[in-house]
Amino acid sequence: MSGDTKVVERGKGDQIYINTSGIGIVHEKANIKIQNIQENDVIIINVPIASHGMAIMSEREGLEFESDILSDTINLNHIVLDLIEKFGDKIHFVRDATRGGLTSVLHEIATEINLGVSLFEDKIKVENQVKSACEVLGLDPLYVANEGIFVYVAAPEIKDEVLTILQKVNSNASAIGFVTDNIHQKSLSKVPLEEKGW
């Protein structure tokens, strides 16, 4: 089952509250617990970050840019199912990067399993208008909410195959980093890509 809690200011709820719950079964090939993550696992995201959060904030703040910022909201169920069915337990962890953005997911990983996360800054895609909006509002895109992004942590040997599948849906899907045994390495890294064979 699933649930989601919202906090609404007094008088702002318009007296209508809708709640939904989902019931299902775990896919027989799915084994995506955070404890499965291992050193050298690759970290992959499917679309550029921060678009949803900045689309909402730019509307709230009345900001105008040369082009509209569009939310990244998309259906993820089919692509996630396809990847689970193809790669099974070689996909170690999947998580959406909603509230708190990409950084919150990676911090949770590093903290929970006592490993480090090394990221390649130039592999984390942010659309130009989203960067501009973040600069105007003084925000770091890594901390901005997303709706259509999932973070995959997978065995390194399937990196290229996963990217090929994801890039058919969005060409900006990218392997952005890897898991390291250096528990102090939880920030952006300048490690040359060739050191990882990328």
Side-chain angles (χ1 to χ4, degrees), residues 1 5 8 15 21 30 41 52 63 79 85 88 114 116 125 149 155 157 163 178 183 186 194:
M1 297 188 68
T5 301
V8 182
Q15 298 181 346
S21 296
D41 277 357
H52 176 76
L63 301 176
I79 188 66
E85 288 185 340
N114 202 32
K125 308 296 184 184
I149 288 181
E157 62 265 25
L163 283 176
F178 60 97
I183 62 173
K186 298 177 183 175
E194 55 268 20

Side-chain angles (χ1 to χ4, degrees), residues 41-179:
D41 277 357
V42 64
I43 300 166
I44 298 172
I45 58 175
N46 60 313
V47 294
I49 66 170
S51 297
H52 176 76
M54 295 318 302
I56 299 301
M57 287 188 220
S58 61
E59 286 292 325
R60 286 178 180 170
E61 300 296 329
L63 301 176
E64 295 184 2
F65 298 93
E66 291 183 2
S67 60
D68 291 335
I69 298 176
L70 301 177
S71 170
D72 62 14
T73 302
I74 55 173
N75 291 331
L76 298 175
N77 54 327
H78 298 298
I79 188 66
V80 171
L81 178 61
D82 289 346
L83 291 172
I84 291 293
E85 288 185 340
K86 182 172 179 60
F87 299 108
D89 61 7
K90 289 187 178 180
I91 296 175
H92 296 158
F93 182 72
V94 182
R95 177 65 53 82
D96 60 329
T98 50
R99 293 182 186 178
L102 178 61
T103 296
S104 292
V105 176
L106 299 178
H107 180 267
E108 177 186 349
I109 290 170
T111 302
E112 182 75 20
I113 62 175
N114 202 32
L115 289 172
V117 172
S118 183
L119 302 179
F120 300 115
E121 188 171 7
D122 61 336
K123 291 290 185 179
I124 303 173
K125 308 296 184 184
V126 186
E127 294 179 348
N128 288 334
Q129 63 267 35
V130 174
K131 285 183 183 177
S132 299
C134 286
E135 288 173 3
V136 167
L137 295 174
L139 299 172
D140 185 335
L142 290 167
Y143 291 88
V144 174
N146 308 280
E147 280 294 334
I149 288 181
F150 55 74
V151 180
Y152 264 99
V153 183
E157 62 265 25
I158 66 170
K159 174 179 71 72
D160 292 338
E161 288 184 87
V162 170
L163 283 176
T164 297
I165 293 169
L166 292 179
Q167 286 172 353
K168 289 178 181 177
V169 179
N170 189 302
S171 61
N172 287 305
S174 181
I176 63 169
F178 60 97
V179 178

